[in-house]
């Protein structure tokens, strides 16, 4: 009997050993040089979304013992303890760095202890053939319920600097975001000859940050005085030195005075051309970004390359990405990297990181942060960069306050031989056989009796003091309302009465209350679409608009000095007074449109599905500054995956959740086909072999 038990135990040990080896194999990183002719890999990730805390028990004596700040699961943040929502107890979440064409499989587990739902959007990934994996709740999928797991399965395309974030509520402002880098082979990268190094650790995520949760801040704004509690801070790759942490318990034996949490450090060597990938994970703020005493060669935006443009600084708005090349020609020392709040966030003080040369004597740069040395006079680049004068003396300190003008630069005025899209042989001309459509959207903020946040019978807007009168952001006077079931994955449960557009709304009633419905634009597959955004607001920050499922050409962005209404703008267009730049326009998927400006975007609707188009300021999106573009009808959409979660309440759906099969944790890394039977056979055979040999 004892001998039999020993055999069984050794058999189990063999299985455990083989499972451990298998686990290592399954967690094989897809971060690798992208080689031409190599077959795509299947790259699996496990995400657990849960509530957590900065400066938790995992941090031990951080920041008094700085090395403790880098322990696993320690989130030092900006030095202020606060609740956060994390993926795998990381901020930013686990990076996804793969090659173009790889298959991405992400298992997202909802462990939020307060019962919240969640979802993940893959910002910049076009999801061709897989629109159901795009992520926005009630548009493409059901929200992931507590204790449930959702499987995202799609191809990494197009190449470029992208990111992922929660598309449920205000969660990404509390930490649910991460980098998603899709690299190319050297042959297909038009800028490969311009840089020497594209390191995984040279990915920079800039995020604005509050001392309270985003939802708490939003509730303060909506139900009391706009502005809420606390000042905006900012993080670079999850770290900043903003708040001094008091040494309450003196556990490290250090003095009782406070200490600052560490900043993010990017290490470089002298005389190397480094590619940095910069992502704005901000929910509100636009940042002015600079590398002290280093110029940037800006080579791509939102994953789309263009001819290099040299700049000292750039502005980056929520959702935008820029790829820049930094040449390390300075002496071996440490230098500031600065991200300074702009516009509404100009009082936030921003944040810093450190660029440290190998061989530098100190981790910290000389001089104070928030000023920087110019290298030589150049211009800034971005949808809303400053136009301040430069001190033209090389190496002279210039206060950043002098650069923080809000006057925008029109990217469409850049000469065609300076900026152009790389990768297209020519600009897509309009196909006369398919009707070209132009849609106009007015963006403004109304002081209406917003029934969501006001009870007009108890405290109407007119009865409130000025400091409590909130503006409601609208598009064509419409406030977007999420449908009760996902439009794309449950078309049989969709009621056409939910939808609206500019022509169906009684605009005379929108000032009395919200004109609230599911704002939808219908286009045919392959149709060329021009969207004209007109910002009628004059005194507020501009709007970063993001299109899912496509990139667009920016044909115009100019000050609106002729039209006072959307009707005026349409008349100007009929008269041909809204010119479009049709030669080498810049290509983006997120663009910030300044106040009192208009922008003209063009895209070909060649990706069937239902796609969100929304403001990437999270409080504006939550209030309904969005619409959906439906490309084609149900018959044009790719087939729904065989096993896909369903949802709906008594009033909207009788759909029942489908049972979901437990797929294998380990799949064939080349074909992506489930291989659990084979895996089990291997495990059993190996276990028997170990048992027999050991016996």
């Amino acid at each position: 009997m004892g001998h039999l038990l020993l055999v069984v135990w050794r058999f189990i040990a063999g299985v455990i050993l083989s499972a451990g080896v298998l686990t290592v194999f399954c967690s094989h990183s897809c971060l690798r040089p992208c080689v031409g002719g190599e077959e795509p890999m299947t790259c699996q990730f496990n995400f657990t979304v849960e509530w957590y805390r900065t400066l938790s028990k995992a941090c031990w004596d951080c920041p008094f013992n700085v090395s403790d700040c880098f322990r696993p699961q320690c989130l030092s943040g900006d030095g202020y303890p606060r609740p956060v929502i994390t993926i795998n107890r990381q901020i930013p979440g686990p990076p996804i760095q793969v090659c173009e064409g790889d298959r991405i499989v992400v298992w997202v587990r909802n462990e939020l202890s307060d019962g919240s739902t969640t979802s993940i959007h893959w910002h910049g990934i076009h999801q061709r053939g897989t629109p159901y994996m795009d992520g926005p709740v009630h548009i493409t999928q059901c929200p992931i319920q507590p204790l449930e797991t959702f499987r995202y399965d799609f191809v990494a395309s197009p190449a470029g600097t992208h990111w992922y974030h929660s598309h449920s509520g205000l969660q990404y402002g509390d930490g649910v975001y991460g980098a998603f880098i899709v690299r190319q082979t050297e042959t297909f990268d038009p800028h490969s000859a311009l840089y020497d190094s594209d390191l995984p650790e040279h990915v920079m995520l800039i995020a604005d940050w509050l001392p309270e949760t985003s939802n708490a801040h939003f509730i303060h704004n909506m139900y009391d005085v706009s502005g809420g509690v606390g000042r905006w801070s900012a993080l670079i790759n999850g770290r900043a030195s903003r708040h001094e942490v008091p040494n309450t318990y003196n556990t490290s034996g250090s003095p009782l005075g406070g200490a600052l949490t560490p900043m993010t450090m990017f290490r470089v060597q002298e005389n190397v051309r480094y590619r940095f990938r910069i992502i704005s994970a901000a929910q509100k703020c636009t940042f002015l970004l600079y590398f002290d005493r280093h110029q940037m060669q800006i080579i791509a935006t939102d994953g789309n390359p263009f001819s290099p443009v040299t700049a000292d600084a750039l502005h980056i708005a929520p959702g935008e990405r820029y790829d820049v090349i930094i040449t390390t020609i300075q002496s071996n020392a440490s230098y500031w990297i600065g991200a300074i709040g702009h516009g509404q966030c100009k009082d936030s003080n921003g944040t810093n990181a450190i660029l440290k040369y190998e061989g530098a004597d100190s981790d910290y740069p000389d001089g104070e942060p928030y000023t920087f040395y110019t290298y030589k006079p150049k211009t800034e680049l971005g949808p809303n960069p400053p136009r301040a004068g430069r001190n033209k003396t090389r190496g002279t300190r210039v206060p950043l306050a002098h650069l923080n003008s809000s006057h925008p630069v029109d990217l469409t005025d850049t000469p065609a031989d300076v900026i152009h899209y790389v990768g297209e042989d020519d600009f897509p001309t309009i196909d006369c056989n398919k009707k070209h459509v132009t849609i106009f959207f007015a963006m403004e903020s109304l002081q209406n009796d917003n029934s969501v946040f006001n009870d007009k019978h108890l405290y109407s807007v007119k009865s409130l003091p000025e400091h409590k009168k909130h503006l409601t952001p609208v598009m064509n006077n419409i406030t977007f309302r999420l449908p009760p079931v996902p439009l794309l994955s449950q078309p049989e449960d969709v009621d056409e009465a939910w939808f609206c557009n500019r022509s169906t709304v009684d605009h005379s009633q929108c000032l009395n209350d919200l004109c609230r419905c599911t704002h939808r634009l219908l286009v045919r597959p392959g149709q060329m679409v021009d969207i004209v955004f007109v910002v009628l607001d004059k005194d507020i920050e501009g709007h970063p608009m993001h299109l899912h499922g496509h990139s667009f050409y920016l044909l115009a962005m100019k000050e609106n000095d002729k039209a006072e209404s959307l009707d005026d703008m349409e008349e100007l267009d009929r008269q041909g007074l809204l010119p479009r730049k049709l030669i080498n326009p810049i290509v983006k998927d997120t663009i910030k449109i300044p106040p009192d400006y208009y922008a003209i975007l063009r895209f070909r609707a060649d990706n069937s599905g239902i796609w969100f188009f929304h403001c990437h300021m999270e409080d504006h999106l939550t209030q309904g500054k969005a619409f959906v573009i439906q490309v084609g009808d149900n018959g044009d959409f790719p087939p729904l995956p065989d096993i896909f979660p369903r949802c709906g309440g008594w009033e909207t759906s009788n759909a029942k959740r489908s049972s979901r099969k437990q797929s294998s944790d380990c799949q064939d890394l080349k074909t992506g086909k489930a291989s659990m039977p084979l895996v089990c056979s291997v495990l059993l055979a190996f276990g028997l072999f170990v048992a027999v040999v050991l016996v």
Side-chain angles (χ1 to χ4, degrees):
M1 183 66 178
H3 181 73
L4 179 60
L5 289 175
L6 181 61
V7 171
V8 171
W9 166 245
R10 288 172 173 171
F11 170 78
I12 294 173
V15 171
I16 292 173
L17 176 61
S18 60
V21 174
L22 191 64
T23 300
V24 173
F25 178 72
C26 287
S27 61
H28 167 70
S29 173
C30 287
L31 174 59
R32 66 197 190 280
C34 301
V35 179
E38 178 186 62
E39 287 193 23
M41 297 178 67
T42 293
C43 310
Q44 295 202 67
F45 302 86
N46 292 298
F47 285 5
T48 298
V49 181
E50 62 183 329
W51 279 101
Y52 196 52
R53 185 186 186 271
T54 56
L55 296 174
S56 69
K57 292 179 287 187
C59 291
W60 290 83
D61 289 326
C62 170
F64 309 103
N65 182 347
V66 176
S67 63
D68 282 347
C69 299
F70 298 91
R71 285 176 176 266
Q73 299 187 13
C74 177
L75 306 179
S76 58
D78 63 353
Y80 190 89
R82 55 154 288 186
V84 293
I85 307 176
T86 63
I87 296 175
N88 299 356
R89 297 190 176 180
Q90 297 174 233
I91 295 180
I96 296 177
Q97 302 205 39
V98 297
C99 293
E100 188 175 21
D102 282 350
R103 180 186 173 199
I104 309 301
V105 178
V106 185
W107 300 86
V108 178
R109 174 76 173 174
N110 181 355
E111 290 286 351
L112 292 168
S113 56
D114 64 345
S116 298
T117 63
T118 192
S119 72
I120 302 293
H121 168 55
W122 316 95
H123 188 123
I125 302 298
H126 288 173
Q127 300 291 354
R128 292 187 180 274
T130 54
Y132 309 97
M133 301 297 165
D134 193 45
V137 296
H138 289 274
I139 305 297
T140 62
Q141 69 169 85
C142 298
I144 307 172
Q145 297 293 329
L147 305 181
E148 288 190 351
T149 301
F150 187 90
R151 176 187 177 183
Y152 291 96
D153 190 343
F154 56 90
V155 172
S157 178
T161 299
H162 310 304
W163 63 302
Y164 64 82
H165 59 83
S166 171
H167 221 301
S168 182
L170 298 159
Q171 291 176 354
Y172 94 70
D174 291 323
V176 189
Y177 64 85
F180 195 140
I181 309 302
V182 183
R183 289 185 169 82
Q184 296 173 296
T185 64
E186 186 175 322
T187 303
F188 287 99
D189 180 356
H191 292 317
S192 61
L194 298 181
Y195 59 89
D196 306 308
S197 179
D198 182 11
L199 297 176
E201 57 266 33
H202 285 174
V203 176
M204 184 186 304
L205 291 104
I206 307 170
D208 43 28
W209 199 243
L210 282 165
E212 61 182 349
T213 63
S214 299
N215 200 47
H217 182 76
F218 179 76
I219 291 171
H220 286 309
N221 280 341
M222 294 299 103
Y223 293 104
D224 190 30
V225 179
S226 181
V229 177
R231 294 180 62 190
W232 290 90
S233 181
L235 307 176
I236 294 179
N237 289 2
R239 298 186 185 276
S241 294
R242 177 63 53 216
H243 299 280
E244 188 175 84
V245 181
N247 192 2
T248 306
Y249 300 105
N250 196 25
T251 54
S252 63
S254 58
L256 289 176
L260 294 173
T261 51
M263 291 176 274
T264 295
M265 182 180 294
F266 298 94
R267 299 179 183 275
V268 295
Q269 295 179 338
E270 193 175 357
N271 295 321
V272 179
R273 299 172 301 172
Y274 290 97
R275 180 174 185 162
F276 277 77
R277 298 172 180 267
I278 303 165
I279 300 164
S280 174
Q283 60 174 319
K284 177 184 178 71
C285 299
T286 294
F287 289 100
L288 171 71
L289 179 80
Y290 66 92
F291 289 73
D292 185 15
R293 306 194 206 190
H294 295 76
Q295 283 193 316
M296 294 179 276
Q297 266 192 304
I298 306 172
I299 61 172
T301 179
D302 299 350
N304 300 289
F306 52 74
S307 294
V309 175
T310 303
D312 292 318
L314 63 83
H315 272 75
I316 184 166
E320 287 189 307
R321 293 89 70 207
Y322 283 98
D323 290 32
V324 306
I325 296 172
I326 303 296
T327 303
T328 51
I329 58 173
Q330 298 295 342
S331 58
N332 286 336
S334 296
Y335 302 90
W336 292 117
I337 300 172
I340 307 302
H342 182 62
Q344 294 182 54
C345 300
K346 64 183 179 181
D347 296 327
S348 71
N349 288 331
T351 191
N352 285 89
I354 296 171
L355 185 73
K356 182 181 180 181
Y357 279 60
E358 184 180 76
D361 293 333
S362 172
D363 287 347
Y364 289 93
D366 294 332
E368 295 294 323
Y370 312 123
T371 60
F372 79 114
Y373 288 101
T374 58
Y375 172 63
K376 62 181 181 179
K378 287 289 180 181
T379 59
E380 293 91 1
L381 179 70
N384 196 15
R387 267 189 190 170
R390 267 324 144 120
N391 189 320
K392 296 184 179 181
T393 304
R394 178 174 175 175
T396 300
R397 186 176 293 280
V398 179
L400 282 174
H402 295 170
L403 304 175
N404 211 11
S405 165
S406 62
H407 192 81
V409 169
D410 180 9
L411 295 182
T412 62
D413 279 345
T414 309
D417 60 345
V418 175
I419 278 188
H420 66 272
Y421 176 57
V422 180
E424 291 284 350
D425 294 333
D426 51 50
F427 180 74
T429 55
I430 296 172
D431 186 348
C432 296
N433 296 321
K434 294 182 178 179
K435 185 179 179 182
H436 173 244
V437 61
T438 301
I439 310 294
F440 289 78
F441 287 92
M443 296 194 290
E444 56 186 323
S445 299
L446 303 179
Q447 199 172 82
N448 56 8
D449 270 318
N450 182 330
S451 60
V452 175
F453 301 110
N454 297 282
D455 188 324
K456 62 183 178 183
H457 301 294
L458 299 177
Y459 44 95
S460 67
V461 168
K462 292 181 181 179
S463 69
L464 294 172
E466 284 299 320
H467 65 284
K468 294 195 176 185
K469 291 181 178 180
H470 294 92
L471 297 174
T472 300
V474 296
M475 302 189 71
N476 287 351
N477 287 337
I478 296 172
T479 296
F480 183 83
R481 183 172 191 165
L482 282 171
V485 296
L487 301 176
L488 186 68
S489 59
Q490 291 180 224
E492 67 277 10
D493 296 321
V494 171
D495 187 341
E496 284 293 320
W498 300 339
F499 297 109
C500 66
N501 55 46
R502 182 183 172 194
S503 65
T504 64
V505 167
D506 183 358
H507 296 273
S508 65
Q509 299 301 312
C510 297
L511 285 175
N512 298 327
D513 198 350
L514 300 180
C515 291
R516 197 163 176 241
C517 46
T518 303
H519 195 173
R520 180 181 65 176
L521 170 64
L522 294 169
V523 298
R524 296 197 305 269
Q527 195 167 35
M528 190 73 73
V529 182
D530 279 13
I531 292 183
V532 182
F533 286 121
V534 185
V535 181
L536 297 177
D537 296 317
K538 300 181 185 300
D539 300 321
I540 68 170
E541 186 77 352
H543 301 283
M545 301 300 297
H546 170 53
L547 173 61
H548 291 218
H550 302 77
S551 292
F552 52 74
Y553 294 86
L554 178 61
L555 304 188
M557 188 164 70
K558 296 182 180 296
E559 189 171 5
N560 175 23
D561 55 0
K562 297 179 181 179
E564 296 184 358
S565 68
L566 202 60
D567 291 337
D568 293 343
M569 188 63 66
E570 288 180 309
E571 180 58 31
L572 290 173
D573 196 40
R574 281 191 289 269
Q575 296 176 18
L577 298 178
L578 298 182
R580 283 120 162 111
K581 179 181 179 180
L582 301 181
I583 300 176
N584 293 326
I586 197 167
V587 183
K588 292 178 67 63
D589 61 38
T590 308
I591 186 69
K592 182 178 179 183
I593 308 169
D596 207 21
Y597 265 61
Y598 74 89
I600 304 176
L601 320 177
R602 175 175 294 180
F603 70 97
R604 189 184 292 280
D606 58 357
N607 191 8
S608 296
I610 299 179
W611 307 104
F612 227 177
F613 206 152
H614 61 87
C615 181
H616 226 284
M617 295 177 69
E618 282 294 90
D619 59 337
H620 285 187
L621 172 58
T622 303
Q623 293 178 72
K625 194 174 186 62
F627 61 95
V628 295
I629 297 177
Q630 180 172 325
V631 181
D633 54 30
N634 295 337
D636 298 310
F637 301 158
L640 185 70
D642 291 336
I643 300 174
F644 202 81
R646 301 176 64 87
C647 51
W650 286 104
E651 296 178 353
T652 56
S653 172
N654 60 3
K656 296 181 179 179
R657 295 181 186 275
S658 62
S659 59
R660 280 174 286 173
K661 298 177 182 177
Q662 292 294 325
S663 298
S664 72
D665 289 334
C666 187
Q667 299 193 0
D668 185 273
L669 294 180
K670 294 297 183 183
T671 65
K673 295 179 180 179
S675 54
M676 184 54 74
L678 176 60
V679 170
C680 293
S681 299
V682 172
L683 286 173
L684 289 171
F686 186 83
L688 287 171
F689 171 79
V690 171
V692 170
V693 170
L694 293 179
V695 172

